Amino acid sequence: MNYKEKTVKECPACKTINELNAKFCQECGYKFFKEGSEKPKEPAPPLLQEKKEEKTEEKKEEAKEEVKEKKKSFFSPAQIESIRKSEEEMKKKEETAKEVKAVEVGEVQKAVYVADTGNHRLQKFTSEGEFITKWGREGSGDGEFNSPNGIAIDSQGNIDITNRRNYRIQKFTSEGKFITKWGSEGSDDGEFNYPQGIAIDSEDNVYVADFFNCRIQKFTLEGEFLTKWGRLGSGNGEFHFPIGIAIDSQGNVYVAESHNYRIQKFTSQGNFITKWGRAGSGDGEFSCPQGIAIDLEGNVYVADFFNHRIQKFTSEGEFITKWGRLGSGDGEFHSPSGIAILKK
């Protein structure tokens, strides 16, 4: 297709549709290049929105420098090559698309809630897919979103949503009425730098994967800060871009790390229990693991993004089975990122 005829363009890294004049992908931050020019050696990481809340110039500069350091290794050369091969095999030519990032199934009403990331809204459906309602628009006010991502449902049926580029959590009733919010951009307690996954335990405590801050934060149902754990690193209890999070029936916390290529398991207070995984494509190995879910028996399911498959493990990390490969047929995947299990 002639570039002059295009009105949109597809990101080769994550398949998100962007405006034609966009310099970076609105989702993964991939830096677009002009036709005929040399491709950059590595794509840029997700762009961070300019600060909207007042902060001292000194803290602002410190935060920017810290983020710059964490951005340098967002995609490895091997992952970029995997993206290139995926493009050649799939040859997708979508003209328009809407990104749907996370899905959560409500236990009380058996409703399905979808974070419609590219449309900056949340949609609600019946379990058969019939539309019920929607709410939200792009913005930073109450009930507005800028790239909503993770969804979790509490025992009262209320909806908690991570808002990546607004650096906060918002809570709504099941019908979309705004209840409360918490969080702002930063690295202090209760602040976020690109919050991603979110999970709620049986006692209604809220856990958030604070992506660029490389930590997990825990809050009450009302957003009161309780505790945190983690820092940038590869040791036990350290993280390199935590993205997926899930809670088992015992209250243990499982975290998927996209750039340490592993799963870590903790107590509800953040005490390290065990870990498994490493970079690769063999059984029990990962290439940018993202979504994570746990069934009633305690088995752990992981969406293995660049390996285009799902892997299943015991609660201690013993490999059980896997399925999927790159493709568009039944049982095939192209970069699976989210996963959920209906518990009855």
Side-chain angles (χ1 to χ4, degrees), residues 272-293:
F272 175 81
I273 298 176
T274 190
K275 64 184 177 183
W276 67 90
R278 62 180 180 180
S281 58
D283 295 346
E285 297 178 334
F286 301 107
S287 184
C288 198
Q290 294 200 9
I292 186 168

Side-chain angles (χ1 to χ4, degrees), residues 57-296:
E57 288 300 318
E58 183 178 352
K59 285 195 70 175
K60 188 185 294 185
E61 290 303 317
E62 288 177 357
K64 287 182 179 178
E65 289 301 317
E66 183 179 354
V67 170
K68 285 179 182 178
E69 289 300 315
K70 292 176 181 177
K71 285 179 176 181
K72 289 180 179 178
S73 61
F74 191 72
F75 286 128
S76 69
Q79 290 172 339
I80 297 173
E81 179 64 14
S82 174
I83 295 170
R84 187 189 66 79
K85 290 181 179 179
S86 297
E87 286 185 282
E88 293 177 355
E89 291 186 43
M90 297 302 294
K91 296 181 179 178
K92 290 185 176 180
K93 297 180 179 180
E94 298 176 355
E95 288 297 321
T96 57
K98 298 299 182 181
E99 179 191 16
V100 175
K101 192 67 179 180
V103 177
E104 185 74 12
V105 179
E107 292 297 324
V108 179
Q109 299 177 332
K110 298 298 186 220
V112 178
Y113 299 86
V114 179
D116 193 0
T117 306
N119 284 324
H120 309 288
R121 66 183 181 182
L122 189 139
Q123 295 195 65
K124 179 181 178 180
F125 303 86
T126 67
S127 58
E128 289 75 34
E130 181 182 351
F131 175 80
I132 298 176
T133 189
K134 64 183 178 183
W135 65 89
R137 62 180 181 180
E138 186 172 8
S140 59
D142 294 346
E144 296 179 333
F145 302 106
N146 192 342
S147 298
N149 187 59
I151 305 175
I153 302 173
D154 67 25
S155 63
Q156 306 301 313
N158 296 319
I159 318 300
D160 284 19
I161 305 173
T162 59
N163 214 175
R164 292 180 303 190
R165 293 189 172 97
N166 279 337
Y167 313 102
R168 67 183 182 185
I169 310 300
Q170 291 195 82
K171 182 186 294 291
F172 301 88
T173 67
S174 60
E175 298 306 315
K177 182 179 180 180
F178 175 81
I179 298 175
T180 190
K181 63 183 177 184
W182 69 91
S184 60
E185 184 181 7
S187 57
D188 292 335
D189 295 347
E191 295 181 335
F192 302 104
N193 198 341
Y194 222 69
Q196 292 267 33
I198 186 170
I200 299 177
D201 66 19
S202 60
E203 297 180 354
D204 277 342
N205 296 307
V206 182
Y207 301 77
V208 180
D210 194 359
F211 190 75
F212 279 125
N213 282 329
C214 299
R215 66 183 181 182
I216 302 300
Q217 293 198 71
K218 179 180 178 181
F219 303 88
T220 67
L221 202 57
E222 292 74 34
E224 179 183 352
F225 175 81
L226 294 175
T227 190
K228 64 184 176 184
W229 68 91
R231 62 180 180 180
L232 178 62
S234 58
N236 296 340
E238 296 178 334
F239 302 107
H240 194 175
F241 299 161
I243 187 168
I245 189 167
I247 315 293
D248 68 17
S249 60
Q250 305 301 311
N252 297 312
V253 182
Y254 299 75
V255 181
E257 294 179 75
S258 62
H259 283 61
N260 275 334
Y261 313 104
R262 66 182 182 183
I263 307 299
Q264 289 196 77
K265 178 180 179 181
F266 303 88
T267 68
S268 60
Q269 296 303 312
N271 297 318
F272 175 81
I273 298 176
T274 190
K275 64 184 177 183
W276 67 90
R278 62 180 180 180
S281 58
D283 295 346
E285 297 178 334
F286 301 107
S287 184
C288 198
Q290 294 200 9
I292 186 168
I294 302 168
D295 66 21
L296 290 175

